[in-house]
């Protein structure tokens, strides 16, 4: 108990230090920075702004209320992480659920780890820390990886080193973003799993994707049943391709058409249908021309 009281008192003492304009810490080289950076400090909720780099966009209201009740009774057990922006101004890096729940609980202050980082470092820290969380949905994780690619220009190999995940795992998440937005929403809302989504990725036609999605949801198909459904669809495409190949007609060589044109002395039109049948059209320009062509045919 004594140890806990000392820890809280230290947090309040550092909070006072941060509110002193003469001790405005902006870098790790500033005076007293070692006392602040990396330490747990009680910060006023009003001094913390939401992180624009936060990958999470869905917050379950019922779960927030439950966490708020727990915080009201037990306090914030795990501190949030923030970065210092300016004098007595901070930006959240991780812990938005705890911050929101603390506001619901009516708290005025919250324990926080202080870090000093630029925008890129803050984005990477926020995304990496949140990717490690078990309660992010697969699409949120995929979007986090995509942001690291788009905004930080990280390769999949570099991301693998940063987040401690295999490149194949990262690639599997990123491929989910190829799915129709309706299906992505279905994954986020829990109607289907990431496994269902992965089974449909190789289908390029998004209209077909959504048709299969409706069938999966309405029939409550398992991932294995979905894989079978997709396999049957792909097999049907192969069958159609084979049938189409069998009915593909021959083509008339350019030399053959020239030979006929030369023989009749007029430009011949040759059309061949898919079943191999066709017709030859021989134009004439006068009765004399017609009689000439008839004579050539008789010969």
């Amino acid at each position: 108990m004594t140890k806990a009281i000392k820890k809280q008192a230290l947090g309040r003492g550092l909070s006072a230090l941060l509110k002193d304009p003469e001790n405005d810490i902006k870098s790790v080289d500033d005076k007293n920075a070692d006392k602040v950076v990396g330490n747990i400090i009680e910060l006023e909720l009003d001094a913390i702004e939401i992180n624009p780099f936060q990958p999470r966009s869905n917050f379950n209201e019922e779960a927030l209320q439950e966490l708020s009740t727990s915080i009201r009774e037990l306090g914030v057990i795990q501190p949030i992480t923030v970065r210092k922006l300016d004098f007595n101004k901070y930006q959240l890096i991780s812990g938005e659920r705890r911050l929101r729940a603390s506001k619901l609980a009516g708290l005025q202050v919250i324990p926080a780890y202080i870090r000093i980082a630029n925008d890129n470092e803050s984005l990477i820290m926020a995304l990496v820390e949140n990717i490690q969380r078990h309660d992010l949905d697969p699409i949120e994780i995929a979007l986090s990886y995509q942001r690291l690619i788009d905004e930080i220009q990280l390769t999949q190999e570099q991301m693998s080193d940063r987040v401690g995940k295999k490149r194949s795992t990262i690639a599997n998440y990123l491929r989910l973003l190829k799915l129709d937005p309706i299906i992505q929403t279905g994954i986020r809302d829990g109607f289907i799993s990431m496994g269902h989504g992965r089974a449909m990725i190789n289908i390029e036609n998004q209209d077909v994707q959504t048709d299969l999605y409706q069938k999966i949801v309405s029939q409550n198909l398992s991932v294995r049943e979905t894989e079978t459904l997709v396999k049957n669809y792909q097999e049907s495409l192969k069958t159609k391709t084979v049938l189409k190949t069998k009915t593909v007609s021959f083509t008339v060589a350019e030399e053959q058409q020239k030979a006929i044109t030369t023989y009749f002395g007029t430009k011949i039109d040759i059309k061949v249908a898919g079943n191999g049948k066709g017709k030859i059209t021989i134009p004439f320009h006068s009765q004399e021309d017609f009689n000439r062509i008839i004579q050539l045919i008789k010969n």
Side-chain angles (χ1 to χ4, degrees):
M1 177 67 78
T2 305
K3 187 175 181 181
I5 293 173
K6 284 185 178 179
K7 187 175 181 180
Q8 289 181 0
L10 178 63
R12 286 196 294 271
L14 291 176
S15 296
L17 177 67
L18 285 172
K19 288 184 179 181
D20 184 353
E22 294 183 2
N23 285 289
D24 187 18
I25 299 166
K26 295 181 179 179
S27 78
V28 292
D29 297 323
D30 289 347
K31 181 182 177 182
N32 293 322
D34 58 325
K35 298 178 182 178
V36 173
V37 179
N39 288 307
I40 301 175
I41 299 172
E42 288 188 354
L43 294 181
E44 295 176 354
L45 294 178
D46 292 342
I48 305 169
E49 67 176 40
I50 298 299
N51 188 347
F53 306 132
Q54 165 66 271
R56 178 191 296 278
S57 55
N58 290 335
F59 290 89
N60 184 290
E61 290 300 324
E62 184 177 348
L64 275 179
Q65 288 293 346
E66 290 177 359
L67 180 58
S68 174
T69 301
S70 173
I71 287 175
R72 194 179 293 113
E73 294 177 359
L74 304 173
V76 179
I77 297 174
Q78 181 183 358
I80 62 173
T81 303
V82 300
R83 69 164 177 150
K84 195 171 187 300
L85 293 178
D86 206 341
F87 177 68
N88 201 33
K89 186 178 179 182
Y90 306 87
Q91 186 179 81
L92 188 70
I93 290 178
S94 66
E96 186 167 349
R97 286 184 71 251
R98 276 162 281 157
L99 183 66
R100 288 172 178 259
S102 296
K103 289 180 179 179
L104 286 175
L107 269 61
Q108 300 299 314
V109 296
I110 188 170
Y113 285 107
I114 306 291
R115 303 186 77 160
I116 295 175
N118 60 31
D119 285 346
N120 276 6
E121 289 170 340
S122 180
L123 172 57
I124 292 172
M125 284 190 290
L127 293 176
V128 170
E129 287 192 36
N130 278 281
I131 285 169
Q132 307 299 337
R133 298 182 63 86
H134 65 84
D135 51 356
L136 278 185
D137 67 64
I139 300 301
E140 285 176 320
I141 293 174
L143 290 171
S144 297
Y145 285 138
Q146 192 61 52
R147 288 189 66 182
L148 285 170
I149 291 173
D150 294 340
E151 299 181 37
I152 309 299
Q153 284 76 54
L154 291 184
T155 64
Q156 288 189 23
E157 186 173 353
Q158 290 170 327
M159 277 196 291
S160 176
D161 294 334
R162 290 292 185 102
V163 303
K165 302 286 185 182
K166 294 181 180 179
R167 284 183 62 184
S168 58
T169 300
I170 294 171
N172 284 334
Y173 276 106
L174 288 170
R175 292 177 71 208
L176 294 176
L177 300 180
K178 295 180 180 180
L179 292 169
D180 185 275
I182 292 175
I183 300 174
Q184 292 185 38
T185 302
I187 294 175
R188 300 191 73 164
D189 293 340
F191 290 110
I192 61 173
S193 69
M194 179 178 175
H196 290 96
R198 287 182 61 187
M200 291 185 282
I201 285 172
N202 291 328
I203 297 176
E204 295 182 1
N205 189 316
Q206 292 196 336
D207 289 335
V208 175
Q209 285 183 5
T210 53
D211 288 342
L212 292 177
Y213 169 70
Q214 295 295 340
K215 187 174 291 187
I216 293 165
V217 174
S218 62
Q219 297 180 17
N220 195 28
L221 300 182
S222 67
V223 172
R224 179 161 294 185
E225 289 170 331
T226 300
E227 291 171 345
T228 301
L229 183 66
V230 171
K231 183 179 179 181
N232 291 340
Y233 167 75
Q234 291 173 327
E235 289 295 330
S236 71
L237 288 183
K238 291 179 182 178
T239 303
K240 289 178 182 177
T241 301
V242 171
L243 292 173
K244 186 177 180 181
T245 302
K246 289 181 179 179
T247 59
V248 169
S249 177
F250 65 90
T251 57
V252 178
E254 186 177 350
E255 293 76 11
Q256 292 174 314
Q257 186 156 350
K258 282 183 179 179
I260 298 174
T261 297
T262 301
Y263 179 76
F264 285 104
T266 186
K267 188 174 182 180
I268 306 301
D269 182 39
I270 303 174
K271 290 184 178 179
V272 184
N275 58 6
K277 297 180 180 181
K279 63 179 180 178
I280 299 175
T281 302
I282 307 173
F284 58 87
H285 308 291
S286 64
Q287 185 175 356
E288 291 179 0
D289 198 22
F290 175 76
N291 291 334
R292 179 184 65 80
I293 293 170
I294 292 298
Q295 195 62 39
L296 286 172
I297 294 174
K298 286 180 179 181
N299 293 339

